[in-house]
Amino acid sequence: LSIPPGRELVIAKDAMVEGVHYLSGDPPDTVARKLLRVNLSDLAAMGAEPLGYLTALALPPACDDPWLERFAAGLAADQAAFGLSLLGGDTVRTTGPTVLSLTILGTLPLGTALRRSAARPGDVVCVSGSLGEGALGLRVLTGALQAPPAVAARLIERYRLPQPRLALGHALRGIAHACMDVSDGLVGDLGHIARASQVGAVIETARVPLAVELRGLPGALDLALTGGDDYELLFTLPEPSLAMISPEVGVAVTPIGRVEPGAGVRVIDPDGTERRLRSASWTHF
Amino acid sequence: LSIPPGRELVIAKDAMVEGVHYLSGDPPDTVARKLLRVNLSDLAAMGAEPLGYLTALALPPACDDPWLERFAAGLAADQAAFGLSLLGGDTVRTTGPTVLSLTILGTLPLGTALRRSAARPGDVVCVSGSLGEGALGLRVLTGALQAPPAVAARLIERYRLPQPRLALGHALRGIAHACMDVSDGLVGDLGHIARASQVGAVIETARVPLAVELRGLPGALDLALTGGDDYELLFTLPEPSLAMISPEVGVAVTPIGRVEPGAGVRVIDPDGTERRLRSASWTHF
């Protein structure tokens, strides 16, 4: 691979285990597309353009030829949609659950990669899209939540097919200070930015963008704060820079809090009290 | 990551499954080092210098903190030995056997990467080191073969700790036509070169470098031809170029056959008859 002059390489590697990161009953084509998309989401969080990817697939006997054909069809569809191609990898047999890993490569202009470690006190904390839909979709699939068919279908699609925010990540280059994607839950992931940047942060629960379907559900806000599987971008930037984000990035951006000196993440309810969370981060199911 | 001007990136990704590519009883530090080395061997086969690597580890509960500490110590030792560092990755839980994947990055001058697809009729086929020791080591470990303690220890070490031939790969840049590493068995891997290059090839069994320990064992030659786990370099080049390989590469190079027009790999015994093999390639155990 040649990297064009003036650009540098970014690389990420995420793994998914059957029964942990996706359900055994999920269609093979959406499993493949989720595997590619959670890694594309890592590229988005760095502001990079996709270049290509490698896979390592550990497959039990149940993943037979028809399964693999549907898996490959899913990869092909998203390769075309996101403009990248399979560069190589390895496929092996396992007696245990399916283990899928993907290494993704992207490029961007030298020195422009977004990082977790550059948040500064006074920055506004923002998040894209709305939170909690992926976690809700999982609950619909496991039978823990009932929803009308159309709503259920949309939530399940959000769980199975995250939307990597590549256009937003690209637009944030040179504008955002710190950036990452929300994969394990908003509060826990903001904690990662705070630790890496040696700062503290505060979230105002009233400003957290809740999925329409979440409003009124008991425990809905906690799910949006800690539910995981959102794959939205979480970033910090000086307040005046907010106006520099083009509306053409195709997703809403919501300020939800602020970076402050200190350490840790505080979650503040409308009455000014600090909210206690059972856990800051999702550990899957 | 920045790639220095005038150089290009090569990348490889190999996975290992507990009970397939290594044994459950293998020490965690040698498991880690084998994982890194089988991938370094892929870099060697392209003629590249190591740059860095990423891991994806799917671990069952048995891989506890002491296991991980020993695993990390193995990685640290070989990072120092081979001059590369861990860039990132992902660690997840599985209920099945351990699945380890590693993505390795290397660089080399633009346009100098060795490939499988450039063998030409008339080339000499060569292999480094001696073959069959890794496969023998596995048989010692599983109890299928008895050997004196010192011999057993050496064979087990060859199985657990392959030697990536990085200096040889580097020396072959601009000299060899086609190159790959022997991981699944000599005959099968030469078949990969033949297919990719749209040529045929012939191996003379009398010239195959047998491990000293193999001589006289029943089935020894078949093990050297198809046994796998050698991680030696297999390459083709014009006969006069053989003299251009520096003795400083630290490993013997043996001509074992020739590239010819046509397709497939023929294995010829000293009496001129074609040898029939039960299988051209190892499918692990």
Side-chain angles (χ1 to χ4, degrees):
Chain A
L1 286 174
S2 290
I3 308 303
R7 295 181 77 84
E8 63 190 346
L9 181 75
V10 297
I11 186 161
K13 179 164 178 153
D14 261 1
M16 302 199 326
V17 178
E18 174 191 357
V20 180
H21 304 88
Y22 67 95
L23 298 170
S24 298
D26 284 340
D29 58 315
T30 69
V31 172
R33 296 169 76 189
K34 184 168 186 175
L35 178 66
L36 190 51
R37 287 169 181 225
V38 301
N39 281 282
L40 282 164
S41 182
D42 282 328
L43 286 193
M46 296 187 274
E49 275 97 37
L51 178 66
Y53 68 101
L54 299 93
T55 57
L57 314 177
L59 306 175
C63 295
D64 53 7
D65 284 353
W67 190 95
L68 270 172
E69 275 165 34
R70 294 177 64 192
F71 186 87
L75 284 184
D78 271 2
Q79 283 194 177
F82 294 102
L84 77 173
S85 59
L86 179 62
L87 302 172
D90 197 9
T91 302
V92 295
R93 280 281 169 214
T94 178
T95 55
T98 307
V99 178
L100 309 168
S101 92
L102 192 144
T103 304
I104 199 156
L105 288 81
T107 68
L108 38 63
L110 278 168
T112 64
L114 298 168
R115 297 166 189 276
R116 297 180 182 187
S117 55
R120 296 176 209 168
D123 281 357
V124 176
V125 175
C126 295
V127 71
S128 64
S130 57
L131 301 175
E133 291 172 52
L136 268 179
L138 172 60
R139 276 152 188 79
V140 170
L141 282 169
T142 59
L145 180 74
Q146 300 287 331
V151 174
R154 184 185 147 195
L155 296 175
I156 290 170
E157 176 159 323
R158 283 276 288 176
Y159 173 71
R160 289 180 172 161
L161 290 179
Q163 298 294 329
R165 303 301 185 188
L166 289 157
L168 174 60
H170 185 285
L172 291 176
R173 289 199 317 232
I175 295 178
H177 283 160
C179 187
M180 70 178 292
D181 67 332
V182 185
S183 56
D184 292 338
L186 175 68
V187 176
D189 285 334
L190 185 55
H192 291 308
I193 287 181
R195 258 190 306 281
S197 302
Q198 300 184 279
V199 296
V202 59
I203 294 173
E204 297 173 41
T205 58
R207 304 175 77 183
V208 171
L210 274 192
V212 171
E213 295 81 358
L214 272 172
R215 291 176 196 150
L217 281 179
L221 182 61
D222 283 342
L223 210 55
L225 289 168
T226 64
D229 254 316
D230 295 303
Y231 299 99
E232 296 293 347
L233 293 189
L234 173 67
F235 54 96
T236 82
L237 74 183
E239 188 148 15
S241 302
L242 259 175
M244 296 167 66
I245 303 173
S246 160
E248 288 171 23
V249 296
V251 64
V253 164
T254 308
I256 58 168
R258 203 166 282 276
V259 179
E260 56 186 19
V265 176
R266 296 184 300 127
V267 180
I268 304 295
D269 275 333
D271 62 4
T273 61
E274 189 166 342
R275 190 179 187 90
R276 297 201 162 273
L277 300 166
R278 270 186 299 181
S279 79
S281 193
W282 194 45
T283 54
H284 305 284
F285 55 93
Chain B
L1 287 174
S2 290
I3 309 302
R7 294 182 76 85
E8 62 189 348
L9 182 75
V10 297
I11 185 161
K13 178 164 179 154
D14 261 0
M16 301 199 328
V17 178
E18 174 190 357
V20 181
H21 304 88
Y22 68 95
L23 299 170
S24 298
D26 285 339
D29 58 318
T30 69
V31 173
R33 295 168 77 190
K34 183 168 187 173
L35 178 66
L36 190 51
R37 287 169 179 225
V38 301
N39 281 282
L40 282 164
S41 182
D42 283 327
L43 286 193
M46 297 187 275
E49 275 97 37
L51 179 64
Y53 69 100
L54 300 93
T55 57
L57 314 177
L59 306 174
C63 294
D64 53 7
D65 284 353
W67 190 96
L68 269 172
E69 274 165 33
R70 294 178 64 192
F71 186 86
L75 284 184
D78 272 2
Q79 282 193 178
F82 295 100
L84 77 174
S85 59
L86 179 62
L87 303 172
D90 197 9
T91 302
V92 295
R93 279 283 169 213
T94 178
T95 55
T98 307
V99 177
L100 309 168
S101 92
L102 191 144
T103 303
I104 199 156
L105 288 81
T107 67
L108 37 65
L110 278 169
T112 64
L114 297 169
R115 297 166 187 276
R116 297 180 182 186
S117 55
R120 297 178 209 165
D123 281 357
V124 176
V125 175
C126 295
V127 71
S128 65
S130 57
L131 301 175
E133 291 172 53
L136 269 178
L138 172 60
R139 276 154 188 77
V140 170
L141 281 168
T142 59
L145 180 74
Q146 300 287 330
V151 174
R154 186 188 146 194
L155 295 175
I156 290 169
E157 177 159 322
R158 284 276 288 174
Y159 173 70
R160 287 179 174 162
L161 290 179
Q163 297 295 329
R165 301 302 184 188
L166 289 156
L168 175 59
H170 185 283
L172 292 176
R173 288 198 318 231
I175 295 178
H177 283 162
C179 187
M180 70 178 293
D181 67 332
V182 185
S183 56
D184 292 338
L186 175 67
V187 176
D189 284 335
L190 186 54
H192 291 308
I193 287 181
R195 258 191 304 283
S197 302
Q198 300 184 279
V199 296
V202 59
I203 294 173
E204 295 172 41
T205 58
R207 306 174 76 183
V208 171
L210 276 191
V212 170
E213 294 81 0
L214 272 172
R215 291 176 197 151
L217 281 179
L221 183 60
D222 284 342
L223 211 55
L225 289 168
T226 64
D229 254 316
D230 295 303
Y231 298 100
E232 295 294 346
L233 292 190
L234 173 66
F235 55 96
T236 83
L237 75 183
E239 189 149 14
S241 303
L242 260 174
M244 296 166 66
I245 304 173
S246 159
E248 288 171 22
V249 296
V251 64
V253 164
T254 309
I256 57 168
R258 203 167 280 278
V259 179
E260 56 186 18
V265 177
R266 296 183 302 125
V267 180
I268 306 294
D269 275 334
D271 62 5
T273 60
E274 190 164 339
R275 191 182 187 88
R276 297 199 163 273
L277 300 166
R278 270 186 298 181
S279 78
S281 193
W282 194 45
T283 54
H284 303 284
F285 57 92

